[in-house]
């Protein structure tokens, strides 16, 4: 098999270059994350029933939707929340590996069948069904350093000028905005309604009838006959904008023919659309965004694009309005990846140094050294093809693979060196004969190693998803290493190696190191020889170590992932049920004062 590449070394070089170039291209586009995607796909259903309490929301909306969704194809479990502000949220979790888009369609079809059971007020707001992006990417707070703006202005400004821009950033899955938004609020006076014999439904009907944009037609359009020159579109004032315009809405005409205006029975003000949630940052009012990452996106790239978008938008911010990234998950990811890459280079240097010390010549060191970048960089092309990401698990596999991918190349070089020394053949002929002897062993070594890692790729569940990338990554690197050992390594041996010069090899520091290695090898051989004749001691030692390993396996703490300090503390406090938002804000300010100290 290797004869083809020994006779045509350019072919071997081209194959290795293709693998390396494909890997380099993939390294630039492969997603970056902390861990593999091990979170089961989720679908989120949300609805809103204005004015309803949590019990009503649960009974009217929750029970109907959950009965319909329960048992949808590939569903694992679901979790719902009904709130006193009239909101309802349901999160449906599906089996790992299922198509999230198909899950959305299945949930949507189930809910379509019970929409007639939901109140009209809910259907007007709409039932939203979307893919849930559970991974929090960033938390961004918009605030006024000198407290020039209140929370209502901040929330509305962010909603109007920032929210949509960030939603369009590629890789952003979902954005939750915790801040107020302007809305026209109408507060009915029950005593005046009762005195004037007006019902709330009459007020609502008047609002719908007099706050509407209608298509009023054209003047001069066909079938007008004659010498009509102009054709004009009629534009009328429909939607009301100011408090004064809403106050002049005619609610009813009394018996005397006088109109009763909305201002006569209600208070009209431009206020917050929803005042049940408030946000604070650095001791002042703020509008806070929680940005979730879309599944499969590059976390680092998305965070960079968000930062670029915010810097561009900041140029148009009013004075004394700023933003701050209160939490950024990519900071830890960057540090973790940086440490793994650092370890990767350290391992690479140590492996090359060890090869040089044991082989003794730079020509023999160069051949297995070239196998490392080809195998590792080429692996990225297959990682991208399989939908993997560059994370701490897959990069750890590459760190471990460094010492494995050089084995095949070292076997080739050492055997070629042995044939040259023992039989006195020139490099090309020695390489041909050496490869006849070790082609089958190289393939066997690779298959044995694959038999260790490949079965891990077929483990099911979240654990299997976590370690699948590890197993596949290291297996691919070993396959590329075997290809190199049968193509590039023999071709380089035939080109680079030279016959031995024993006089030069007996001099210098490397010669001393090699003599020390030989003495260590001889000493180890004597120990092994004694153990062969006294096998009972070796068997007893194996049994003792086996029992010790089993005991330690039981007492060592277990966990799904190692605990890592990400430099973040989250405090969550609960007040008694029914506590007002003002009281909650007061307690929050007290906590801020304590933490500031």
């Amino acid at each position: 098999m290797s004869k083809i590449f020994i006779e045509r070394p350019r072919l071997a070089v081209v194959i290795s270059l293709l693998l390396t170039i494909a890997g380099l291209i993939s390294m630039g586009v492969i997603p970056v994350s902390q861990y593999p995607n091990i979170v089961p796909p989720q679908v989120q259903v949300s609805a809103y029933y204005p004015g309803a309490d949590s019990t009503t929301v649960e009974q009217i909306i929750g029970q109907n939707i959950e009965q319909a969704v329960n048992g949808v194809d590939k569903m694992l479990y679901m979790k719902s929340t009904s709130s006193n502000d009239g909101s309802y949220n349901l999160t449906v979790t599906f089996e790992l590996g299922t198509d999230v888009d198909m899950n959305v369609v299945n949930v949507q079809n189930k809910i379509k069948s019970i929409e007639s059971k939901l109140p009209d007020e809910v259907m007007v707001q709409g039932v939203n069904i979307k893919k849930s992006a559970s991974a929090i990417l960033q938390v961004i707070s918009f605030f006024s350093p000198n407290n020039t703006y209140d929370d209502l202005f901040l929330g509305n400004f962010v909603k109007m000028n920032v929210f949509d821009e960030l939603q369009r950033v590629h890789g952003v899955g979902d954005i939750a905005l915790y801040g107020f938004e302007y809305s026209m609020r109408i507060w009915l006076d029950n005593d005046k309604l009762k005195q004037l014999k007006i019902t709330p439904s009459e007020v609502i009907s008047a609002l719908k009838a007099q706050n509407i944009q209608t298509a009023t037609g054209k003047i001069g359009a066909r079938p007008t006959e004659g010498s009509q020159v102009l054709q004009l579109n009629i534009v009328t004032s429909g939607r009301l904008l100011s408090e004064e315009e809403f106050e002049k809405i005619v609610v009813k005409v009394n018996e005397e023919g006088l109109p009763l205006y909305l201002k006569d029975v209600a208070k009209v003000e431009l206020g917050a659309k929803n005042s049940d949630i408030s946000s604070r940052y650095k001791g002042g009012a703020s509008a806070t965004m929680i940005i979730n990452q879309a599944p499969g996106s590059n976390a680092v790239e998305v965070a960079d694009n968000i930062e670029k978008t915010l810097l561009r938008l900041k140029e148009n911010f009013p004075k004394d309005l700023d933003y701050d990234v209160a939490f950024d998950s990519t900071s830890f990811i960057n540090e973790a990846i940086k440490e793994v890459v650092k370890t990767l280079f350290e391992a690479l240097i140590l492996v090359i140094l060890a090869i040089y010390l044991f082989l003794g010549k730079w020509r023999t060191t160069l051949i297995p050294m070239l196998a490392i970048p080809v195998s590792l960089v080429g692996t990225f092309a297959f990682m991208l093809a399989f939908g993997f990401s560059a994370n701490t698990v897959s990069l750890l596999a590459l760190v471990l693979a460094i010492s494995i991918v050089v084995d095949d190349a070292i076997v080739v070089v050492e055997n070629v060196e042995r044939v040259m020394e023992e039989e006195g053949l020139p490099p090309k002929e020695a390489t041909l004969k050496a490869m006849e002897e070790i082609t089958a062993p190289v393939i066997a070594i690779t298959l044995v190693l694959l038999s260790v890692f490949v079965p891990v790729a077929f483990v099911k569940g979240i654990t299997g998803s976590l370690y699948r990338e590890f197993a596949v990554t290291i297996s691919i690197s070993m396959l590329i290493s075997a290809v190199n050992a049968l193509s590039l390594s023999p071709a380089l041996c035939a080109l680079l190696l030279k016959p031995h010069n024993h006089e030069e090899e007996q001099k210098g520091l490397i010669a001393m190191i090699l003599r020390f290695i030989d003495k260590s090898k001889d000493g180890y051989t004597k120990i092994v020889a004694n153990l062969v004749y006294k096998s009972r001691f070796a068997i007893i030692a194996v049994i003792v170590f086996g029992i010790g390993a089993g005991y330690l396996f039981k007492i060592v703490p277990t966990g799904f992932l190692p605990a890592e300090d990400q430099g973040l503390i989250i405090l969550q406090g609960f007040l008694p049920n029914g506590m007002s938002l003002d009281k909650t804000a007061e307690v929050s300010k007290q906590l801020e004062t304590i933490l500031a100290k």
Side-chain angles (χ1 to χ4, degrees), residues 128-373:
N128 297 316
I129 306 167
K130 60 183 179 181
K131 294 182 287 187
S132 177
S134 57
I136 295 179
L137 182 68
Q138 288 182 327
V139 177
I140 304 175
S141 290
F142 298 82
F143 63 101
S144 177
N146 298 319
N147 296 321
T148 304
Y149 308 109
D150 59 7
D151 46 9
L152 180 56
F153 176 88
L154 292 170
N156 192 74
F157 180 85
V158 172
K159 179 67 176 178
M160 298 293 293
N161 299 280
V162 181
F163 186 88
D164 292 336
E165 291 283 347
L166 294 185
Q167 191 76 61
R168 287 194 290 268
V169 173
H170 179 70
V172 171
D174 191 19
I175 300 178
L177 175 60
Y178 293 92
F180 298 137
E181 182 182 351
Y182 279 119
S183 180
M184 193 64 67
R185 305 306 304 265
I186 299 174
W187 308 97
L188 298 178
D189 188 326
N190 290 328
D191 294 334
K192 291 183 178 179
L193 289 176
K194 185 177 181 180
Q195 181 182 354
L196 298 172
K197 298 180 180 180
I198 299 174
T199 62
S201 59
E202 289 179 298
V203 177
I204 295 173
S205 298
L207 283 169
K208 291 181 178 179
Q210 299 174 48
N211 181 32
I212 186 173
Q213 189 70 48
T214 59
T216 48
K218 302 175 181 179
I219 296 176
R222 290 185 177 182
T224 303
E225 298 180 356
S227 57
Q228 184 68 35
V229 177
L230 296 177
Q231 177 176 305
L232 304 176
N233 292 328
I234 301 175
V235 180
T236 60
S237 298
R239 291 287 184 182
L240 307 180
L241 301 177
S242 64
E243 298 174 6
E244 292 76 13
E245 291 176 337
F246 274 90
E247 288 177 345
K248 294 179 181 178
I249 289 178
V250 178
V251 176
K252 189 176 182 181
V253 178
N254 61 15
E255 296 175 355
E256 299 175 357
L258 298 175
L260 294 174
Y261 297 104
L262 183 61
K263 63 182 179 181
D264 297 328
V265 295
K267 176 186 176 183
V268 181
E269 66 174 1
L270 187 62
K273 182 178 181 180
N274 186 349
S275 57
D276 292 332
I277 297 176
S278 67
S279 171
R280 293 176 60 81
Y281 185 71
K282 291 185 176 180
S286 73
T288 300
M289 279 184 174
I290 296 181
I291 302 177
N292 295 82
Q293 176 187 350
S297 59
N298 188 328
V300 177
E301 182 181 356
V302 176
D304 290 341
N305 290 336
I306 290 175
E307 179 65 20
K308 292 177 183 177
T309 303
L310 289 174
L311 289 174
R312 175 174 56 84
L313 296 175
K314 187 177 179 179
E315 297 176 358
N316 298 320
F317 281 8
K319 292 182 179 180
D320 198 35
L321 194 154
D322 201 358
Y323 73 91
D324 197 2
V325 180
F327 168 71
D328 187 358
S329 63
T330 61
S331 299
F332 181 79
I333 294 174
N334 286 327
E335 290 300 319
I337 299 297
K338 188 186 300 180
E339 287 298 317
V340 175
V341 173
K342 177 184 174 184
T343 305
L344 193 63
F345 280 103
E346 291 173 349
L348 180 63
I349 294 171
L350 291 173
V351 168
I352 293 173
L353 180 61
I355 294 172
Y356 180 69
L357 290 177
F358 277 83
L359 296 182
K361 291 183 290 187
W362 71 268
R363 288 177 179 270
T364 53
T365 303
L366 182 62
I367 295 170
M369 187 178 74
L370 290 176
I372 297 175

Side-chain angles (χ1 to χ4, degrees), residues 387-405:
F388 295 166
S389 62
N391 52 70
T392 52
V393 174
S394 59
L395 292 181
L396 174 62
L398 293 180
V399 173
L400 297 178
I402 290 177
S403 60
I404 299 176
V405 297

Side-chain angles (χ1 to χ4, degrees), residues 326-515:
F327 168 71
D328 187 358
S329 63
T330 61
S331 299
F332 181 79
I333 294 174
N334 286 327
E335 290 300 319
I337 299 297
K338 188 186 300 180
E339 287 298 317
V340 175
V341 173
K342 177 184 174 184
T343 305
L344 193 63
F345 280 103
E346 291 173 349
L348 180 63
I349 294 171
L350 291 173
V351 168
I352 293 173
L353 180 61
I355 294 172
Y356 180 69
L357 290 177
F358 277 83
L359 296 182
K361 291 183 290 187
W362 71 268
R363 288 177 179 270
T364 53
T365 303
L366 182 62
I367 295 170
M369 187 178 74
L370 290 176
I372 297 175
V374 174
S375 300
L376 299 188
V377 176
T379 302
F380 280 96
F382 293 91
M383 290 170 60
L384 181 63
F386 283 118
F388 295 166
S389 62
N391 52 70
T392 52
V393 174
S394 59
L395 292 181
L396 174 62
L398 293 180
V399 173
L400 297 178
I402 290 177
S403 60
I404 299 176
V405 297
V406 296
D407 288 347
D408 294 335
I410 291 175
V411 170
V412 172
V413 172
E414 287 186 332
N415 200 46
V416 174
E417 288 273 315
R418 181 191 62 81
V419 173
M420 290 172 60
E421 183 176 5
E422 294 179 357
E423 303 185 17
L425 295 176
K428 185 174 182 180
E429 285 73 11
T431 304
L432 287 169
K433 184 170 183 180
M435 293 309 298
E436 290 178 1
E437 298 172 350
I438 62 171
T439 295
V442 167
I443 296 174
I445 291 171
T446 304
L447 293 177
V448 169
L449 290 173
L450 290 176
S451 67
V452 176
F453 295 103
V454 170
V456 179
F458 294 94
V459 177
K460 295 184 178 180
I462 295 179
T463 304
S465 299
L466 177 64
Y467 295 108
R468 184 173 297 118
E469 293 194 16
F470 176 87
V472 174
T473 300
I474 202 168
S475 298
I476 290 172
S477 64
M478 287 189 298
L479 283 173
I480 297 176
S481 170
V483 172
N484 277 335
L486 299 176
S487 58
L488 182 63
S489 295
L492 293 176
C493 285
L495 292 174
L496 297 179
L497 296 186
K498 288 185 177 182
H500 287 259
N501 187 334
H502 293 285
E503 293 183 1
E504 293 183 1
E505 292 175 1
Q506 298 299 323
K507 302 175 182 178
L509 178 63
I510 296 299
M512 294 175 58
I513 294 174
L514 291 176
R515 284 194 292 270

